[in-house]
Amino acid sequence: MLNRYNTILDELFADTDVFVVTMDWSDTPTGPPGHSTPRPTLHPGSIRWWTESDQDDPDAEFHTHTRLYADRRRWSRGCVDGLLRAVADEALVEVFIADTKLRHIHHPYDGGADIILATPAERDRMRDRHTDWLSSHPAGL
């Protein structure tokens, strides 16, 4: 799993700076996380970047505040392995790595990763380099 993640991450981000973003949520904008998470330990150099609040429900008990934390670092193979392991183990969700222009985004999850690229041609080249990793399902899912 780490080899596949790092292979793609190397292809996307070699010799560049990246943003590493993690998230948590709370029922108040500044309160403690709604559940225990290893995020502070695995992403210690991050700063709170953004809070997205959902307060549409008239009952305040159902209000949520998603907090995004980010850092900028030079990409090197293995530099996010702790985060990737936690995602694979479902101990942490909502992690992404992106170039500083946000043209390439890697969003790992416990069963794989979503990769967002700037153009369909880039997507097709990436897919063609890793066809042996694709599902046998006709849609590649």
Side-chain angles (χ1 to χ4, degrees):
M1 180 246 2
L2 284 176
N3 182 55
R4 285 187 180 189
Y5 280 149
N6 278 298
T7 297
I8 298 299
L9 290 163
D10 282 346
E11 289 179 27
L12 293 172
F13 305 125
D15 300 319
T16 64
D17 283 358
V18 296
F19 292 126
V20 177
V21 180
T22 56
M23 300 176 208
D24 69 16
W25 65 271
S26 178
D27 55 5
T28 67
T30 58
H35 57 85
S36 178
T37 173
R39 192 208 62 73
T41 302
L42 294 172
H43 199 197
S46 62
I47 59 166
R48 188 178 298 183
W49 171 40
W50 183 271
T51 299
E52 184 66 32
S53 298
D54 180 356
Q55 300 179 66
D56 292 339
D57 196 294
D59 187 343
E61 183 178 345
F62 296 104
H63 294 178
T64 58
H65 305 273
T66 303
R67 288 101 49 114
L68 286 77
Y69 303 84
D71 75 48
R72 181 177 177 156
R73 63 179 80 173
R74 191 73 173 172
W75 172 254
S76 63
R77 185 177 188 90
C79 74
V80 294
D81 280 0
L83 291 169
L84 295 172
R85 283 181 193 274
V87 167
D89 292 338
E90 296 183 272
L92 190 64
V93 295
E94 304 308 337
V95 170
F96 68 87
I97 300 100
D99 66 273
T100 58
K101 294 182 181 178
L102 301 177
R103 295 182 48 81
H104 301 123
I105 301 171
H106 183 274
H107 176 251
Y109 53 87
D110 63 321
D114 292 325
I115 302 164
I116 300 168
L117 300 170
T119 68
E122 284 183 272
R123 176 204 61 212
D124 293 347
R125 284 191 299 273
M126 173 87 50
R127 180 200 60 222
D128 293 346
R129 281 193 303 273
H130 303 288
T131 56
D132 55 324
W133 293 356
L134 297 176
S135 163
S136 60
H137 186 278
L141 304 173

